[in-house]
Amino acid sequence: MKHPRHQLEESLNSPVRFSIVAALHTVDEAEFAVVRDAVEVSDSVLSKHIATLERARLVAVRKGYVGKRPRTWLRLTKDGRRTFASHVAALRAIAEGSAGA
């Protein structure tokens, strides 16, 4: 039997990226500033981690305007939702000692 750690998604091993995906997992879409405040990071830190998640195709970014103000919205992709669920299941299996040891 394979150890559950092999099911962990490498791009979610960062606490900040895991927190971003966890915040997005509960909503259809969230504004950049809402995620930034929820995760308690700066704009630049969030931007860097979003770029990594976007390259991994876990997060989609949509830009637009509210009135004349530019806005950015974030959402998990279908792959992002599946990957997050799998990652959390692997963490639970490790924490519960279901590693077949």
Side-chain angles (χ1 to χ4, degrees):
M1 174 181 256
K2 289 177 81 173
H3 191 278
R5 77 174 179 281
H6 299 293
Q7 301 304 311
L8 294 173
E9 170 59 37
E10 190 73 27
S11 59
L12 296 181
N13 285 340
S14 157
V16 173
R17 286 192 296 271
F18 181 81
S19 297
I20 292 165
V21 173
L24 292 173
H25 183 67
T26 61
V27 297
D28 291 331
E29 184 175 69
E31 196 171 324
F32 183 94
V34 171
V35 176
R36 176 200 63 210
D37 294 347
V39 178
E40 299 178 349
V41 294
S42 67
D43 286 353
S44 62
V45 168
L46 182 58
S47 291
K48 177 185 171 191
H49 287 288
I50 289 297
T52 299
L53 292 167
E54 194 174 20
R55 279 192 303 274
R57 299 177 188 224
L58 301 178
V59 170
V61 177
R62 179 175 67 88
K63 296 187 179 267
Y65 288 86
V66 173
K68 293 184 177 185
R69 295 180 175 256
R71 294 285 188 259
T72 301
W73 292 272
L74 310 170
R75 70 173 176 80
L76 284 184
T77 63
K78 286 182 183 179
D79 283 344
R81 290 191 182 279
R82 277 193 298 268
T83 299
F84 178 73
S86 174
H87 189 83
V88 169
L91 288 172
R92 281 191 179 117
I94 293 167
E96 293 169 359
S98 303

